[in-house]
């Protein structure tokens, strides 16, 4: 296994195609190759340590090499790593389902497992379509989603999360959803106050639903924070209004908590802030503490019951993945949820949230080229602008977001940009001093690159 860093980089350049990456740039770069993790740090093949400022793509919860999770993985591996859920139950996936349903809003009662956020969304969309068909409402085939929503990269998920820049190549085979303007006033509804933006977004949602409510299978939203759009926060009142519209038009509400779930926003789930009761919920990322690929779609009993029928009616939900309900992943997920309880993770997030807000106000907000800071719990988007007054964005050719994160990396912090928005999304286990390091290094990198 031993290979030099140079050799690994050479093989990486020759054999790997990285996700969401312009490979022309990558092939010219000297990539960091991660070899180990230690609590909130990642360590590369040269022994350099980096603070994991985006939780390894928004999924790590308790840090790397968390003893309890390592132990759960070891213990499960001594029993069995995987057996199919087609025709068989298994121990950890059953324990996990019970725990998830105990934690989730009481509107959802069934767990359908898969292995990525995108598959959890595909399942919700397909369940919705089949549900309406089985109810004899075959006309309900459309989805409503938020503009610039992101629900994953498979074709169904791209249909409800369409972005022209990324997805124009697939447009001929997609069925884009009807889109509601989000209550995001920094870019979309400029000139409006938060309250005006909220009201105009709700009014737009009412119009959309008025026009197509009767043919809509479901409204799908990322609750509280539209992550991949660039951290677009929703003010209080938005989700209840969307829920009310879904009920009024007799359609389903799907909450995609892949990014916001498991403590991120300061409650176990983002829907908990305003007591939202979705018909389906999509979970992924933090479900295993960021250890293994596992996802779950939580579904209401009312929907589930509609699929029950004699075998020869072929009304079952014909969907499954090879690794559905994988035991290693499920065992780690159970241990993850036990840690949420024993370490009182959600209340720790609430105190970190305040600290993070103070640090951002002190070090980042005063910087000349910071246009907007959006925070929910320990999810943060810092929008960089060429001109603060005009809210003028940097030209993509300037690669401003990429330059800032490269500078931060030179100072031992791994973060990621979404265009001109710098994302901070540390593990929930981040300490106060690490939070300090994360914000100070980010601020210094922004200051240097935007000077
Ligand atoms: N939904 C949301 C809200 C997400 O943020 C993401 C991933 N960032 C996904 C779905 C897709 O998850 P995955 O990458 O695991 O397919």
């Amino acid at each position: 296994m031993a290979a030099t860093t140079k050799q690994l980089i050479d093989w990486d350049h020759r054999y790997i195609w990285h996700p969401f990456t312009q490979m022309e740039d990558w092939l010219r770069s000297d990539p960091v190759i991660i070899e180990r993790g230690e609590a909130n740090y990642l360590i590369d093949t040269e022994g350099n340590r980096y603070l994991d400022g985006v939780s390894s793509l928004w999924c790590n919860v308790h840090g790397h090499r968390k003893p309890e999770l390592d132990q759960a993985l070891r213990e499960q591996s001594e029993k069995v790593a995987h057996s199919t859920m087609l025709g068989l139950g298994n121990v950890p996936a059953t324990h996990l389902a019970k725990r998830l349903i105990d934690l989730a809003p009481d509107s959802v009662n069934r767990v359908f497992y898969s292995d990525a956020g995108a598959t959890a969304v595909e399942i919700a969309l397909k369940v919705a379509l089949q549900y309406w068909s089985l109810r004899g409402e075959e006309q309900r085939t459309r989805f409503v989603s938020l503009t610039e929503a992101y629900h994953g990269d498979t074709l169904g998920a791209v249909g409800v999360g369409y972005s022209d820049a990324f997805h124009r190549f697939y447009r001929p085979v997609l069925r884009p959803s009807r889109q509601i303007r989000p209550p995001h006033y920094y870019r979309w509804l400029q000139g409006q106050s938060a309250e005006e933006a909220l009201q105009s977004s709700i009014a737009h949602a009412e119009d959309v639903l008025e026009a197509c409510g009767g043919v809509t299978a479901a409204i799908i939203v990322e609750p509280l924070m539209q992550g991949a759009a660039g951290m677009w926060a929703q003010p209080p009142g938005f989700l209840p209004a969307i829920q009310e519209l879904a009920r009024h038009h007799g359609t389903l509400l799907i909450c995609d908590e892949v990014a916001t779930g498991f403590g991120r926003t300061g409650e176990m789930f983002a829907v908990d802030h305003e007591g939202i009761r979705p018909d389906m919920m999509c979970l992924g990322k933090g479900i295993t503490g960021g250890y293994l690929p596992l996802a779950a779609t939580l579904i209401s009993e009312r929907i589930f019951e509609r699929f029950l029928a004699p075998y020869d009616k072929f009304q079952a939900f014909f969907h499954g993945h090879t690794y559905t309900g994988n035991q290693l992943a499920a065992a780690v997920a159970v241990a993850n949820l036990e840690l949420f309880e024993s370490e009182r993770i959600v209340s720790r997030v609430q105190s970190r949230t305040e600290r993070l807000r103070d640090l951002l106000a002190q070090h980042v907000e005063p910087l000349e080229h910071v246009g907007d800071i959006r925070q929910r719990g320990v999810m943060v988007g810092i929008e960089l602008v060429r001109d603060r007054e005009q809210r003028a964005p940097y030209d993509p050719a300037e690669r401003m977001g990429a330059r800032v994160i490269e500078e931060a990396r030179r100072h031992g912090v791994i973060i990621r940009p979404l265009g001109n928005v710098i994302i901070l999304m540390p593990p929930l286990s981040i300490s106060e001093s690490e939070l300090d390091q994360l914000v100070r290094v980010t601020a210094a990198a922004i200051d240097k690159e935007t000077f």
Side-chain angles (χ1 to χ4, degrees), residues 233-399:
Q234 297 156 5
F238 180 71
L239 287 171
I242 294 295
Q243 173 170 265
E244 177 55 32
L245 275 175
R247 301 286 178 264
H248 180 74
H249 290 275
T251 188
L252 302 173
L253 177 64
I254 302 171
C255 288
D256 175 355
E257 293 248 15
V258 169
T260 51
F262 301 102
R264 260 296 141 203
T265 66
E267 291 288 348
M268 193 61 178
F269 299 110
V271 291
D272 295 337
H273 289 269
E274 292 177 277
I276 302 299
R277 302 177 73 252
D279 300 291
M280 286 189 262
M281 247 167 96
C282 306
L283 304 176
K285 292 192 187 277
I287 192 171
T288 59
Y291 261 51
L292 287 153
L294 183 78
T297 310
L298 275 45
I299 303 167
S300 78
E301 199 68 6
R302 170 173 72 113
I303 296 175
F304 170 78
E305 282 171 356
R306 190 48 72 161
F307 287 64
L308 303 177
Y311 172 83
D312 59 357
K313 291 232 184 252
F314 292 99
Q315 289 190 13
F317 184 46
F318 293 105
H319 184 113
H321 302 278
T322 305
Y323 287 104
T324 289
N326 173 264
Q327 278 101 317
L328 291 177
V332 173
V334 170
N336 170 41
L337 295 181
E338 281 166 0
L339 285 170
F340 265 89
E341 238 175 78
S342 62
E343 297 193 355
R344 305 187 58 241
I345 300 295
V346 172
S347 66
R348 191 175 52 205
V349 172
Q350 291 163 357
S351 74
R352 291 289 180 274
T353 300
E354 292 314 311
R355 175 87 183 150
L356 183 54
R357 183 169 292 123
D358 291 347
L359 287 166
L360 289 164
Q362 195 184 336
H363 301 289
V364 177
E365 209 178 291
L367 299 174
E368 189 186 339
H369 293 278
V370 169
D372 195 27
I373 301 176
R374 300 180 285 271
Q375 181 190 358
R376 285 288 185 164
V378 283
M379 290 178 93
V380 176
I382 302 166
E383 183 152 349
L384 306 178
V385 284
R386 192 168 41 72
D387 183 306
R388 210 175 190 172
E389 280 300 301
Q390 308 290 323
R391 300 186 185 180
Y394 283 100
D395 190 289
E398 290 187 70
R399 298 177 63 253

Side-chain angles (χ1 to χ4, degrees), residues 56-368:
S56 294
L57 209 59
W58 311 2
C59 64
N60 192 284
V61 176
H62 311 284
H64 302 278
R65 300 295 322 274
K66 181 74 178 170
E68 289 85 345
L69 300 187
D70 288 356
Q71 190 188 341
L73 183 57
R74 237 180 351 257
E75 282 176 7
Q76 184 59 43
S77 73
E78 283 164 13
K79 294 175 186 155
V80 61
H82 180 69
S83 63
T84 180
M85 286 202 90
L86 276 68
L88 295 173
N90 80 58
V91 176
T94 311
H95 279 292
L96 178 61
K98 175 165 185 336
R99 275 187 168 264
L100 288 172
I101 294 307
D102 285 348
L103 281 172
D106 64 2
S107 56
V108 287
N109 323 79
R110 291 273 164 185
V111 179
F112 196 102
Y113 287 115
S114 59
D115 40 41
T119 55
V121 168
E122 292 292 330
I123 287 160
L125 301 178
K126 286 176 69 182
V127 164
L129 290 172
Q130 186 167 341
Y131 168 73
W132 289 116
S133 182
L134 292 172
R135 278 192 54 162
E137 294 197 43
E138 281 93 352
Q139 80 284 4
R140 287 193 182 269
T141 60
R142 305 304 305 245
F143 292 99
V144 170
S145 61
L146 297 177
T147 303
E148 293 293 326
Y150 181 79
H151 295 290
D153 292 327
T154 52
L155 285 176
V158 165
V160 290
Y162 187 79
S163 147
D164 206 54
F166 292 166
H167 302 133
R168 61 193 188 282
F169 311 105
Y170 326 116
R171 197 172 171 96
V173 301
L174 294 175
R175 186 130 181 273
S177 55
R178 291 294 308 271
Q179 296 185 339
I180 297 171
R181 270 199 308 265
H184 173 58
Y185 60 95
Y186 187 74
R187 284 254 159 259
W188 276 88
L189 302 166
Q190 285 193 29
Q192 299 192 4
S193 67
E195 184 54 30
E196 285 165 346
L198 172 63
Q199 293 313 327
S200 82
S201 173
I202 293 172
H204 186 245
E206 283 167 358
D207 290 347
V208 168
L209 269 297
E210 201 54 53
C212 70
V215 294
T216 297
I219 307 175
I220 180 166
V221 292
E222 293 160 76
L224 225 56
M225 191 70 128
Q226 261 181 265
M231 298 296 164
W232 293 0
Q234 297 156 5
F238 180 71
L239 287 171
I242 294 295
Q243 173 170 265
E244 177 55 32
L245 275 175
R247 301 286 178 264
H248 180 74
H249 290 275
T251 188
L252 302 173
L253 177 64
I254 302 171
C255 288
D256 175 355
E257 293 248 15
V258 169
T260 51
F262 301 102
R264 260 296 141 203
T265 66
E267 291 288 348
M268 193 61 178
F269 299 110
V271 291
D272 295 337
H273 289 269
E274 292 177 277
I276 302 299
R277 302 177 73 252
D279 300 291
M280 286 189 262
M281 247 167 96
C282 306
L283 304 176
K285 292 192 187 277
I287 192 171
T288 59
Y291 261 51
L292 287 153
L294 183 78
T297 310
L298 275 45
I299 303 167
S300 78
E301 199 68 6
R302 170 173 72 113
I303 296 175
F304 170 78
E305 282 171 356
R306 190 48 72 161
F307 287 64
L308 303 177
Y311 172 83
D312 59 357
K313 291 232 184 252
F314 292 99
Q315 289 190 13
F317 184 46
F318 293 105
H319 184 113
H321 302 278
T322 305
Y323 287 104
T324 289
N326 173 264
Q327 278 101 317
L328 291 177
V332 173
V334 170
N336 170 41
L337 295 181
E338 281 166 0
L339 285 170
F340 265 89
E341 238 175 78
S342 62
E343 297 193 355
R344 305 187 58 241
I345 300 295
V346 172
S347 66
R348 191 175 52 205
V349 172
Q350 291 163 357
S351 74
R352 291 289 180 274
T353 300
E354 292 314 311
R355 175 87 183 150
L356 183 54
R357 183 169 292 123
D358 291 347
L359 287 166
L360 289 164
Q362 195 184 336
H363 301 289
V364 177
E365 209 178 291
L367 299 174
E368 189 186 339

